[in-house]
């Protein structure tokens, strides 16, 4: 009898983290690696946030907190939802805090899915959604999108996938891995479909909310479809906007029954998120946010550099998305070609493997995100490194025969 649980056989190691680890390992071996794998801002956590954490340590805030977060942090989150999203969530029973947005989503899915319950996930998707569903015993139902709609879902297509087993639709705008963003109008059109099915819930993963460009007007689902407020879990966190990936603070607002269930699960796993990180998160949410504008401007500049350079590379086509810090270029016309040594590129995985091997550029294969013949670039790094990476990608692609 196998010792490792069957639930673990249904999932794989996160490919985004695997690529990031491999790139770090190669760098440590002394190779010249440019890592565009990790979805992580290269900026530092702002100093006021770090100071708040240091102060919390000095004040002895180093003990357990309530499972779902301190009342002060829940209040700060409630204010954030009210001020930025026009959403009212009662801090006493409609908000929960976990160890990163990923943990929030995990808690929500594990707390709600029974065997074979279905979750509709638009593809290209963030690598962890389907595996979390599978781990929970559910069934991911993939809603494919194409480059023609800018990788956004066509609302009528949702209808076709709905069954009596459908429990959730996951929305992620701006999207990881494509950067696709949904306008208020787009979200309302999706809402019209979901309204017809009283048992379906919407999980709105808003982690890239503050990373939007070209004057894009950000809205979240429950805000623009208030009729579905009761059936929406609004997920967000500190990682991306405040460059706090290592602090692990994610949060959600939603119905009290669901929030209570998520906290019940958390009480039997991690207890509370780090007390020090929670103190830092209060400062992130309540403190000065003017730096967000400057950072978004820098990300936008990087996006323009990357999209521009990639579209000049033979065989690469790249859309210019309005959000997040990813681009999702197609390498389909390079599939079937060979490297100088005669190694055939059979798929996007080979493309990424040989790109890393020959030129030291780490990117993540599109198949990990549910759309093959593409790859994901995280452009959360300096302009100089991005220019150098694109030069290497160009050299690699131009060398293929
Ligand atoms: N969300 C980021 C990414 O897609 C961080 C790594 C992860 O958890 O997947 O790269």
């Amino acid at each position: 009898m196998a010792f490792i649980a069957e639930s673990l056989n249904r999932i794989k190691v996160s490919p985004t983290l695997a690529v990031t680890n491999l790139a770090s390992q190669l760098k440590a071996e002394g190779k010249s690696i440019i890592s565009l794998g990790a979805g992580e801002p290269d900026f530092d956590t702002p100093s006021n946030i770090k100071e708040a954490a240091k102060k919390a340590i000095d004040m002895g805030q180093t003990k357990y907190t309530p499972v779902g977060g301190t009342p002060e942090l829940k209040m700060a989150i409630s204010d954030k939802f009210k001020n930025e999203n026009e959403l009212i969530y009662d801090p006493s029973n409609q908000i929960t805090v976990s160890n990163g947005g990923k943990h929030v989503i995990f808690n929500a899915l594990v707390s709600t899915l029974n065997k074979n319950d279905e979750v509709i996930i638009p593809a290209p998707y963030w690598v962890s959604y389907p595996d979390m569903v599978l781990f929970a015993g559910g069934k991911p139902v993939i809603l494919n999108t194409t480059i023609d709609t800018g990788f956004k879902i066509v609302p009528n297509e949702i209808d076709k996938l709905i069954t009596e087993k459908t429990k959730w639709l996951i929305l992620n705008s701006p999207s990881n891995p494509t950067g696709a963003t949904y306008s208020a109008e787009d979200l309302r059109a999706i809402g019209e479909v979901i309204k017809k099915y009283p048992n379906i819930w919407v999980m709105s993963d808003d982690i890239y909310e503050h990373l939007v460009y070209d004057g894009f007007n950000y809205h979240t689902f429950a805000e623009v479809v208030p009729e579905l407020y009761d059936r929406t879990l609004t997920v967000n966190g500190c990682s991306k906007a405040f460059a706090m990936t290592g602090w692990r603070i994610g949060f959600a607002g939603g119905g009290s029954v669901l929030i209570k269930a998520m906290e019940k699960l958390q009480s039997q796993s991690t207890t509370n998120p780090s007390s020090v990180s929670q103190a830092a998160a209060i400062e992130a949410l309540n403190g000065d946010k003017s730096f967000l504008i400057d950072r978004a401007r820098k990300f936008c500049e990087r996006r323009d550099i990357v999209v521009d350079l990639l579209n000049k590379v033979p065989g690469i086509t790249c859309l210019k998305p309005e959000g997040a810090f990813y681009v999702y270029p197609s390498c389909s016309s390079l599939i079937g070609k060979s490297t100088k040594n005669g190694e055939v590129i059979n798929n996007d995985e080979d493309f990424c493997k040989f790109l890393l091997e020959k030129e030291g550029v780490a990117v993540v294969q599109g198949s990990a995100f549910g759309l093959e013949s593409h790859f994901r670039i995280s452009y959360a790094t300096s302009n100089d490194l991005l220019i150098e990476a694109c030069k290497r990608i160009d050299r690699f692609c131009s060398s293929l025969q």
Side-chain angles (χ1 to χ4, degrees):
M1 200 170 60
F3 188 62
I4 301 301
E6 203 209 296
S7 53
L8 262 290
N9 290 334
R10 295 197 291 263
I11 65 171
K12 55 192 171 312
V13 171
S14 163
T16 48
L17 300 182
V19 169
T20 308
N21 288 345
L22 177 62
S24 310
Q25 197 186 313
L26 293 171
K27 246 187 220 171
E29 288 168 13
K31 304 218 168 75
S32 162
I33 302 294
I34 302 178
S35 183
L36 307 180
E40 172 166 71
D42 57 324
F43 300 123
D44 199 4
T45 304
S47 54
N48 61 315
I49 299 175
K50 289 188 196 171
E51 287 308 319
K54 290 180 201 166
K55 197 162 144 212
I57 295 174
D58 290 339
M59 285 169 56
Q61 291 176 21
T62 54
K63 304 282 170 40
Y64 292 133
T65 73
V67 168
T70 62
E72 296 78 14
L73 178 53
K74 287 189 172 186
M75 196 60 208
I77 294 166
S78 174
D79 288 344
K80 175 257 176 291
F81 280 132
K82 186 162 89 199
N83 299 334
E84 294 183 355
N85 309 114
E86 294 178 33
L87 286 173
I88 303 299
Y89 290 118
D90 183 343
S92 71
N93 61 2
Q94 287 193 285
I95 285 172
T96 189
V97 188
S98 299
N99 300 279
K102 198 175 202 169
H103 189 207
V104 172
I105 296 166
F106 184 88
N107 280 350
L109 292 171
V110 173
S111 305
T112 54
L113 295 181
N114 292 312
K115 198 167 178 334
N116 295 328
D117 279 348
E118 295 174 6
V119 178
I120 299 180
I121 303 174
Y125 45 70
W126 175 45
V127 294
S128 294
Y129 298 140
D131 278 30
M132 287 183 189
V133 171
L134 288 168
F135 178 81
K139 193 175 145 206
V141 175
I142 306 304
L143 173 49
N144 293 310
T145 69
T146 64
I147 202 159
D148 301 331
T149 58
F151 300 118
K152 290 199 280 188
I153 51 183
V154 177
N156 293 343
E157 301 278 310
I158 306 172
D159 268 311
K160 296 182 196 153
L161 298 181
I162 290 175
T163 72
E164 56 190 20
K165 288 268 181 198
T166 309
K167 212 145 193 180
W168 287 100
L169 164 70
I170 300 185
L171 294 178
N172 176 215
S173 166
S175 147
N176 175 2
T178 64
T181 46
Y182 289 74
S183 66
E185 206 177 305
D186 292 335
L187 295 172
R188 273 190 213 106
I190 293 169
E192 285 310 310
V193 177
I194 301 301
K195 272 186 220 167
K196 296 188 283 183
Y197 304 94
N199 298 323
I200 300 181
W201 284 56
V202 172
M203 192 182 301
S204 181
D205 178 354
D206 299 350
I207 196 79
Y208 297 97
E209 168 182 21
H210 288 290
L211 302 171
V212 289
Y213 320 118
D214 308 329
F216 180 84
N217 203 350
Y218 181 84
H219 292 283
T220 186
F221 186 77
E223 172 199 355
V224 295
V225 193
E227 306 93 308
L228 292 176
Y229 165 87
D230 287 338
R231 288 199 268 139
T232 303
L233 184 71
T234 306
V235 180
N236 213 317
C238 294
S239 294
K240 313 292 179 176
F242 302 104
M244 289 176 69
T245 46
W247 301 76
R248 309 310 299 134
I249 293 291
F251 50 82
S256 58
V257 173
L258 172 58
I259 295 293
K260 198 168 160 193
M262 290 164 68
E263 293 193 353
K264 181 178 178 184
L265 176 65
Q266 186 156 299
S267 79
Q268 293 293 11
S269 54
T270 63
T271 310
N272 55 277
S274 150
S275 58
V276 177
S277 296
Q278 290 189 61
I282 294 171
E283 175 60 21
L285 296 172
N286 289 344
D288 173 43
K289 289 189 205 60
S290 54
F291 69 93
L292 287 173
I293 297 167
D294 186 50
R295 289 190 174 181
R297 194 183 47 72
K298 288 205 173 90
F299 277 128
C300 181
E301 192 180 298
R302 294 165 174 189
R303 176 204 62 174
D304 290 347
I305 291 173
V306 171
V307 172
D308 206 42
L309 291 176
L310 285 177
N311 279 318
K312 290 184 182 136
V313 174
I316 301 285
T317 323
C318 184
L319 283 190
K320 190 189 270 196
E322 287 173 303
F325 41 62
Y326 306 109
V327 287
Y328 199 68
S330 161
C331 56
S332 63
S333 63
L334 300 172
I335 307 295
K337 295 202 170 201
S338 310
T339 66
K340 276 190 212 146
N341 305 342
E343 297 131 326
V344 181
I345 296 186
N346 288 309
N347 48 41
D348 49 54
E349 212 170 324
D350 286 347
F351 177 86
C352 297
K353 186 178 120 197
F354 290 124
L355 178 62
L356 181 60
E357 225 173 87
K358 314 277 176 207
E359 292 288 352
V361 178
V363 299
V364 187
Q365 67 277 11
S367 45
F369 305 96
L371 182 62
E372 290 180 12
S373 303
H374 288 71
F375 59 101
R376 187 191 80 173
I377 284 184
S378 165
Y379 57 80
T381 193
S382 71
N383 293 8
D384 287 349
L385 277 178
L386 291 170
I387 292 169
E388 172 61 20
C390 289
K391 208 185 279 172
R392 295 185 189 190
I393 294 172
D394 185 31
R395 195 160 56 206
F396 174 67
C397 295
S398 305
S399 75
L400 300 176
Q401 293 149 3

